[in-house]
Amino acid sequence: MRHILCVVLCVTSAILSTCTTSAQRPEGKQSARAVGMEHAVDSILAGLTLQEKIGQLVQYTGGWSTGPTGRSINQEQRTNIKEGMVGSLLNVYGSTVTRDLQRIAVEESRARIPLVFGLDVIHGFKTTFPIPLAEAATWDASAVELSARVSAAEASSSGIHWTFAPMVDIARDPRWGRIAEGSGEDPYLGSVMAAARVRGFQGRDLADPSAIMACAKHYAAYGGAEGGRDYNTVDISEMTLRDVYLPPFKAALDAGAGTFMASFNEIGGVPSSGSHFLLTTILRNEWKFEGFVVSDWNSIGELVQHGTAATPADAAEQAVNAGVDMDMESRCYRDHLQSLVEQGRVSKATLDASVRRVLRMKYRLGLFIDPYRASTPEREAQVHRSAGNVMAARAIARKAIVLLKNEGNVLPLARTLKTVAVIGPLAHNHADPVGPWAGPTDTNYVVTLLEAVREAIPAARVLFARGCGIDGTDTTGIAEAVAVARQAEVVLLGAGESRAMSGEAGSRSSLELPGRQGDLIRAVAATGKPVVLVLMNGRPLALSREEGQVPAILEAWFLGHETGHAITDVVFGYHTPTGRLPVSFPRVTGQVPIYYNHKNTGRPANDSVHFTSRYIDVPSSPLYPFGFGLTYTSFAYSDLTVITPKVKATDTIAVQISLKNTGTRASEEVVQLYVRDEVGSVTRPVRELKAYKRIHLEPGQLTRVSLALPAADLAFTGIDNQPHVEPGMFTVYVGPNAAEGIEGRFEVAGP
Ligand code: NOJ
C-alpha cells in the first residue's frame, strides 16, 4: 500500500509539472515529471516479487482471437489477475467489463498495479472511418490526425488505453492483404501519416482520459513478405531496411509513440521477435526509444516454428534478451521467465528493465491516479457515434476518394437527373465497406451507395440491380442489371472486393476484380449508357480490362460508415475530388512489385528496346502511378525555379513553380516534389518524394508555390550502413504525380 500512496503523490505532482508525449527521454536535464515518474516506478518495482514482475510482461486476450487458438476471459484468467500474473489484456472493451477486471487488479491483487487494456483500434471504434490506405490517399495529415483523435476518444470511453496502431509497414506488393492497414508504398508519405496517427491517438498528453497509447507496428519490414504472402520470409539489405522500411517507424517514435510491436516475419534469417539488432541496437541504442515493445500475437511462441528456438523456454529467452518487453498471448513468458531468471539465462537487470518500461507507460497513461480513466457508460453514450464524429468520418471519406478517369467530364453528375441505375455487388452492401480490422463496428450504420443516391437526388427514379456477387461464378443477375441500365440516363456501378479479401491473412494471388464482376461491367457498358465505376477495395487492383470499358472510375476504397454519403458528395459535385494514390496501380498482377521509387538498373526499362529491364507482354509503366488523381478542374505547372542552385548539406533547398487552375471549377491540387540523386556511391532510386503541398485555386487563378527541402532529407544509407548526404547534382521534379512534372537541378556542395 505504501508504494501506491507514493505513486499517487508523485503522479499528482507530475501532472502539475510540464508534459511531454515523447517516448524518448528528453536530452540532458530531466523534467520534474520524468523524475517523478522514475521515482514512482522504482518504488513500485522494489515492492514486486519475481512472479509479479513477470506478470507485468504478460498479455492475454479476452473475447476473440486472431491466432490459431482463441481464448476468452475465464475464471482462471480472473484468478491470474488477482494473483498479479497479468499486466495487460487485449480484445476486452466496454466500460462495464473493463472496470470489473480493473477492479480485480487494483483492489484484489497484492501489488494493485492497474491493467492496461489494448485493442486494434485501426480505423475507428464505434464510428468506422476509411481504412488507413484510403486515409493515406487524402494526403492530408490533419484529417488523418482527426480520425485517430476521434477513434481514441471513442475507444477510451470504453476502457481502452492502448491501440495496436498505426500500422506503418511500407507495402510494395499489393498482393499482401495488409496493405489495407498501412499508408502504401512510400517512406515519406508513410512517415507523414505515421506521425499524424500517433499525434491523433495520443493527443497532447497521454494522461488525458481521451488519449490512447499508440503502437507502431509491425517492427520491422513485415510488408516486405516474399510474394505478398502474409507472415512470409523477408530478405532485404540493411540499406533497404533503413531507407525504405524504417523511416515511418522513426517518424512514429519522434511523434511520441509509446509502444512498438515486434513483427511476425524474419529478416535475413533473424525473426524480428528475437532480433537484438532491431529491438536493441536500432530501437533503443540508436533511436533512444524509452517506451515498451510488445510481441505480435504468439510471435514469441512462433520462434519455435521459425526454427531459431528449440523450445518455448528458448523462445522466451531469445525474445526478452532481444528486447521484447511484453508477450502477447504466447504464454512463453508466463511459463518460462521465472526459471530462466533463476537459471541466469535472463538477467534480473534485463527483466527489471522490461518491467520498468511497462510501468512507465502505465504511469504516463495516468492509470495510477485513475485506473478507470473516466470510462463510464455515460461517457460511452455521449461519445460513441456522436454527430460530430460521424461528420468527421464523412469529411475524411470524401477526401480519400481518387478520381482515376473522367472521360468527357462525365462527372460530376447533374443533380437534375431523372433516372439513375445503381448496380453491382458493392452498390447496396452494408457489410463490406467497413473494410478489414473494423473492430467493434456495427455494419448497420453503413450508408450504402444506393441509399445515398436516393437521399442526394430524392426526385429521381433510382433503380437497383446487384448483377452478381463479389465472388463466385453466378452470372444469372447480369441480364437484370443490363435491363435496369437501359432504363437509366447514367449508371453507377459499385464493384470491388469483400472486406475479407484484405487485412491479416488476406493475401490474393490475383489483383484483378474477383468473380464475374468483369462480365457485369462489360455487359452494362455495352448498353452504351455512361457508366461510373465506383471501386471499393482494400488494395490496388489491376484494372486494364475494365479501364477501357467505362468513361469514369472512382477509387473509393473501403470508406467505412459514411461510404455512400462520401461517394455521392463527389459524384454530384458537392466535393471536388482531391485524393491521390498512395500506391501504384499495376496494369496486370504479373507486374508486381511495381513501385515508383525503384532503382534505374543498368538497363532501364524502354518498351521499344528489347534488352532492357521489362516484360515483353505489357508496358513497363503502371496503369495509374503513385500520386495520381484527377480533379474536376485542370492545373498547369510552369516556371520551375531553384532558388538555391548550390547548397551545403546543412542548408535548405528552395524551389518555386507557377501553378494555374486552367479549368472552370475551384479545387485543390496536391503539388508533389520529387528528387533524384544523379550519381551516388551506391545506386539511388529514380525518384523519391520529399515534400508536397496542397494548394487551393479558384478557376483561372495563378499562384507561385514555394517548396522547401532540407538537404539533410537527402541522406541515404551508404555501403557502411551509415547515413550520408553526398555532394553532387540532383534533379528535382515538381508535378501532379510520380510520373509527370517539370524539372530543375541543384547541387549539394562538398564539405
Ligand atoms: C495479429 C496482428 O498481426 C496484429 O496487427 C494485431 O495487433 C494483433 N494480432 C492483435 O490483434
Side-chain angles (χ1 to χ4, degrees), residues 437-510:
W437 284 113
T441 191
D442 180 346
T443 56
N444 289 314
Y445 287 117
V446 169
V447 178
T448 69
L449 176 58
L450 176 65
E451 289 163 350
V453 172
R454 291 196 164 132
E455 212 179 289
I457 44 171
R461 228 175 115 223
V462 182
L463 308 169
F464 170 70
R466 184 164 164 269
C468 64
I470 293 174
D471 224 349
T473 52
D474 186 4
T475 52
T476 51
I478 293 184
E480 186 203 354
V482 168
V484 159
R486 286 213 174 98
Q487 299 171 55
E489 292 152 90
V490 61
V491 178
L492 290 166
L493 202 158
E497 298 181 309
S498 72
R499 61 186 290 208
M501 288 177 180
S502 55
E504 188 176 349
S507 296
R508 288 180 66 206
S509 66
S510 160

Side-chain angles (χ1 to χ4, degrees), residues 66 90 120 164 178 217-218 261 264 296 328 437 504:
T66 65
L90 77 150
D120 291 278
F164 306 120
R178 300 201 79 170
K217 73 184 189 186
H218 305 81
M261 182 184 289
F264 285 126
D296 203 341
M328 182 191 283
W437 284 113
E504 188 176 349

